[in-house]
Amino acid sequence: MDVPDDRRYSIDHEWVLATGDRVRVGITDYAQDALGDVVYVELPQVGLEVRAGESLGEVESTKSVSEIYAPIGGRVTAVNSELADAPERMNSSPYDQGWICELDVADQSSIHGLLDAAGYRELTEG
Amino acid sequence: MPAASLHTSPLDRVHVELGAKMIEFGGWHMPLAYEAGTVAEHRACRTGAAVFDVSHLGTVELSGPGSGDRVQETLTNDLARIAPGRAQYSHLLDADGSVADDVIVWWLDVDRFHVMPNASNTDRVRAALGGEDVTASRAVLSVQGPDARRVLAEVSGPAAAVGHFGVSPFVWAGRDCVAAGTGYTGEDGVECAVPEAVAEELWAAVTAAGAVPAGLGARDTLRLEAGLPLFGHELGPGITPLQAGLGWVVAWEKPTFVGRDALWRERCDGPRRHLVGLRFDGRQPARQGDPVLSTGEVIGEVTSGNFSPMLGIGIALALVGTDAGVGEGDRISARVRGRELAATVVPTRFWPPPVARQPGQPPAPPAAPPEGPAEEVPQSPPAPPSGHRAR
């Protein structure tokens, strides 16, 4: 499974990539593989305020529905609207074209509470 | 490795080597999807040829004098409608008229039948019919799709030549096998029952000829698009053949079959609910158990729902109350986790889509009765990674 070193990971299989004062959020390669073919994504509303662990939306695959949890708290500033018509990008490009949303994060240091790539590899391969 | 308590197909090693996602299904360790994924496997079956391992289906063999009578007095359909060398879709009912299982009967010879139940119902069907459970002695490979016969012909001409709903012996690798022109995808195809010793060899030959391996995930989306019922969803305790829209499976001309009295009463009173198709406006489907609403009132519930790879939208089958009076073209909704998804009531067969009528042409004739499914697909998906709660 692909686990890029440039970002942090939650134990719920989301990734967080810092981009200046914002972070971008998506699901991991491990998560998309376990879900199977993604056919629908319920994206959050721009402006939604979430705390870590709260729901950011839903991912529906041919076999199940799964919740997306906010890996850290913040306010949604952008969503990947391309996923509405091409949710399969979460399978084909989970770390790039398959991103879900961007968060304005009040406490940037909260990202350090997440797993680094080595820690996430240990979680999924251990 | 599968848990020791699970049955394994003679093709188990092949699936694992192909990198299939394996799941427990009906007590069997079976492939959900291969690396291509469910949607790609689905499209391969609609546009070319796919091969499914359906060895988890049961085979109950009845042979000797009186075998036909036992089938005839127990199941709902009428063997007098067919003949040796033909297959028939039929139901085993409970005394209350509920569908205890749906089966395919392969009439091999005058006094010899193979009855194929759903994996989890094999014991129940054998108890009702007698006979011998020979499931473990064979594999069943189902080659389906518009190119299925062309692909299979490269492997076995006789197997590929079996007629639609025909049943015919053939010899493969020196072994006695059976081909049947049956399936569960809405496409033409052939199911081959072969001794387990040659199963891997046949799988290799069929895939080398161009059939794409497809798992139970694609089997489920294919059967749903084709409007074929699945035990545990559209059929099961409390659901009769009449409610499921399968009155054609019930041969009223027969004086006896299990459940006839209860079903006759329902026929006289009229079924209290019936199966409809739902076509959602967007990609999101409702799923089994989600309530169906009309003008704010709950009128029934979804029995199966998924994304349709061919139509690109969510589709579902639902049992709705007859009193609600909804029909084709009506706008209704399904409640999915607190939200209402708008849908149009449509025929239960979603694929192929109805041909648009030209002005002045008469209406298209009604669709042929569904082909006989005799199988089931995952009802509880494998657990996604922790934190992603499946529902």
Side-chain angles (χ1 to χ4, degrees), chain B residues 168-183:
Chain B
S168 163
F170 70 104
V171 175
W172 160 258
R175 300 298 198 99
D176 290 330
C177 306
V178 181
T182 51

Side-chain angles (χ1 to χ4, degrees), chain B residues 18-294:
Chain B
L18 284 170
K21 274 203 188 73
M22 303 296 289
I23 55 165
E24 193 222 314
F25 179 61
W28 288 70
H29 186 243
M30 295 300 289
L32 177 71
Y34 300 85
E35 287 183 352
T38 294
V39 171
E41 294 165 14
H42 181 114
R43 293 198 174 116
C45 184
R46 287 275 182 256
T47 58
V51 57
F52 303 81
D53 177 9
V54 293
S55 301
H56 62 292
L57 297 178
T59 297
V60 175
E61 178 167 304
L62 285 83
S63 57
S67 298
D69 291 342
R70 287 213 299 286
V71 173
Q72 191 72 337
E73 289 162 7
T74 307
L75 305 182
T76 59
N77 213 333
D78 188 358
L79 287 177
R81 295 175 179 174
I82 60 167
R86 303 289 299 167
Q88 185 176 63
Y89 178 63
S90 196
H91 285 177
L92 172 66
L93 304 187
D94 284 326
D96 71 354
S98 296
V99 180
D101 199 19
D102 61 332
V103 301
I104 289 276
V105 177
W106 289 6
W107 194 348
L108 299 165
D109 204 344
V110 176
D111 282 331
R112 189 157 171 258
F113 297 83
H114 277 176
V115 178
M116 300 181 70
N118 288 288
S120 56
N121 290 333
T122 304
D123 288 346
R124 191 189 313 194
V125 169
R126 200 194 62 78
L129 283 173
E132 186 188 355
D133 181 355
V134 299
T135 306
S137 67
R138 91 298 183 254
V140 182
L141 279 67
S142 181
V143 187
Q144 303 282 309
D147 292 339
R149 287 174 189 274
R150 187 186 56 72
V151 164
L152 191 58
E154 292 182 32
V155 177
S156 167
V162 70
H164 186 59
F165 269 62
V167 177
S168 163
F170 70 104
V171 175
W172 160 258
R175 300 298 198 99
D176 290 330
C177 306
V178 181
T182 51
Y184 191 48
T185 60
E187 301 295 329
D188 188 24
V190 179
E191 296 184 307
C192 301
V194 304
E196 57 173 340
V198 297
E200 285 192 17
E201 195 181 338
L202 181 59
W203 178 275
V206 169
T207 53
V212 174
L216 296 180
R219 206 159 176 75
D220 190 32
T221 52
L222 286 158
R223 72 91 194 167
L224 177 60
E225 256 182 11
L228 298 172
L230 171 61
F231 186 82
H233 291 250
E234 289 74 39
L235 304 173
I239 308 174
T240 67
L242 304 183
Q243 293 171 17
L246 297 172
W248 63 272
V249 180
V250 180
W252 293 111
E253 65 270 25
K254 295 200 303 182
T256 56
F257 56 82
V258 177
R260 192 183 193 280
D261 292 348
L263 199 65
W264 179 256
R265 284 194 296 275
E266 182 182 51
R267 190 195 189 202
C268 296
D269 298 343
R272 64 182 178 85
R273 55 184 185 172
H274 66 281
L275 198 69
V276 297
L278 300 183
R279 189 179 164 126
F280 294 97
D281 293 353
R283 297 176 65 104
Q284 187 178 19
R287 304 275 183 163
Q288 185 174 30
D290 289 336
V292 174
L293 297 91
S294 173

Side-chain angles (χ1 to χ4, degrees), chain A residues 34-121:
Chain A
L35 287 167
D37 288 349
V38 175
V39 294
Y40 174 76
V41 185
E42 179 78 24
L43 294 164
Q45 297 280 337
V46 171
L48 177 75
E49 300 258 4
V50 289
R51 285 180 293 190
E54 288 183 345
S55 178
L56 266 183
E58 288 175 357
V59 181
E60 191 138 351
S61 73
T62 50
K63 70 183 191 196
S64 66
V65 183
S66 302
E67 200 136 7
I68 309 162
Y69 298 107
I72 55 178
R75 186 172 56 87
V76 176
T77 56
V79 298
N80 183 3
S81 52
E82 308 260 309
L83 293 180
D85 292 325
E88 64 275 7
R89 289 181 183 190
M90 294 182 78
N91 294 117
S92 60
S93 179
Y95 295 116
D96 184 16
Q97 293 186 351
W99 66 280
I100 294 167
C101 64
E102 287 181 347
L103 298 175
D104 188 355
V105 179
D107 177 10
Q108 279 280 350
S109 67
S110 59
I111 196 169
H112 300 297
L114 297 169
L115 298 169
D116 62 12
Y120 185 68
R121 274 187 212 108

